[in-house]
Amino acid sequence: MHTINFIEMGERIKKQRLLLGYSREKLAEMVDITPRFCYDIELGLKKISLNTLCRLSDSLRISTDYILFGKNQNAQAYEALLGLIEHCPADKIEHLEEIISHYIQAVK
């Protein structure tokens, strides 16, 4: 049986929020909660309903398993990157591909 660590869960939520460039207020609005409740979730002080969990998952583009348990981190990293790429202007995608390609070559 899995145990939920609410502090770690909040850290995963905050990390993804920051990766996507969302303010706490923006995420709260997207999920239909107050910014204070969002803050409390990120600190692991408050528990969330299933509806809030699903809205967080959709808004942050990460799975509920990852939010709750931190599972499938590689898949989540890819989803996070795809979320960032979606925000890239179409006329800059070619530059982004070059940057990623150069980075991969440099770390091999």
Side-chain angles (χ1 to χ4, degrees):
M1 183 167 152
H2 295 288
T3 302
I4 300 171
N5 181 320
F6 291 98
I7 293 171
E8 290 176 2
M9 182 183 84
E11 289 170 356
R12 287 188 290 275
I13 291 168
K14 181 178 180 178
K15 179 181 175 185
Q16 184 67 11
R17 174 179 65 77
L18 293 172
L19 272 173
L20 293 173
Y22 296 157
S23 66
R24 191 173 287 121
E25 291 75 16
K26 175 161 176 71
L27 179 61
E29 182 180 321
M30 294 169 73
V31 179
D32 195 27
I33 58 176
T34 66
R36 177 62 198 203
F37 188 59
C38 186
Y39 176 76
D40 289 343
I41 293 168
E42 289 183 354
L43 289 179
L45 300 175
K46 298 284 184 169
K47 297 178 182 176
I48 58 175
S49 70
L50 290 175
N51 286 333
T52 300
L53 174 64
C54 291
R55 288 192 304 264
L56 279 168
S57 174
D58 288 342
S59 298
L60 294 173
R61 300 183 194 110
I62 53 177
S63 73
T64 56
D65 277 351
Y66 180 69
I67 292 172
L68 293 171
F69 309 113
K71 302 294 182 191
N72 301 322
Q73 289 180 329
N74 286 340
Q76 296 311 312
Y78 299 142
E79 285 185 39
L81 287 172
L82 288 174
L84 292 171
I85 291 168
E86 286 176 359
H87 287 89
C88 183
D91 63 329
K92 303 295 184 198
I93 291 290
E94 186 177 313
H95 297 292
L96 182 58
E97 289 173 353
E98 288 178 29
I99 291 168
I100 293 170
S101 177
H102 287 292
Y103 177 80
I104 291 170
Q105 294 302 316
V107 296
K108 279 188 175 181

